[in-house]
Amino acid sequence: MTAPPSIIQLIDHFHSSIDLYRAGSLNETQTRIEFIDPFFAALGWDIRNEQQASDIYKDVVHEDSLKISDANSVILLSLLNNYQFD
């Protein structure tokens, strides 16, 4: 089985700009919009709920925002956000 052309284009685009991405210039939302959503759309997922499916039948459900309840959580999240995965 060969990959769809749109996935191959995503891979080529990613590899052509790999240094930019390693520098940390893309945030989570940008990464989702530029790579993750198009990847799953190429596999046939209804990313934007164009079929207007009920919540329990959606292919993609976006997560709720994170709620922080105390100062220790803020410190921990700050440390995790600044951690570099190599």
Side-chain angles (χ1 to χ4, degrees):
M1 178 176 172
T2 59
S6 55
I7 291 181
I8 293 172
Q9 288 174 342
L10 284 170
I11 292 168
D12 290 342
H13 173 63
F14 180 81
H15 282 293
S16 70
S17 303
I18 192 75
D19 292 332
L20 180 68
Y21 306 135
R22 285 184 175 158
S25 62
L26 239 64
N27 65 31
E28 179 181 350
T29 301
Q30 291 168 314
T31 302
R32 180 180 49 80
I33 291 169
E34 290 190 29
F35 295 106
I36 298 169
D37 287 355
F39 175 80
F40 284 111
L43 295 176
W45 287 38
D46 184 8
I47 300 299
R48 295 185 188 107
N49 194 27
E50 293 174 10
Q51 299 296 318
Q52 298 180 349
S54 173
D55 284 350
I56 62 172
Y57 298 111
K58 289 180 181 178
D59 286 342
V60 175
V61 178
H62 297 282
E63 63 188 41
D64 288 333
S65 60
L66 181 64
K67 294 178 177 59
I68 299 174
S69 61
D70 61 36
N72 289 334
S73 297
V74 172
I75 293 168
L76 177 60
L77 286 172
S78 176
L79 291 172
L80 289 174
N81 285 334
N82 291 322
Y83 184 80
Q84 294 293 323
F85 293 94
D86 294 320

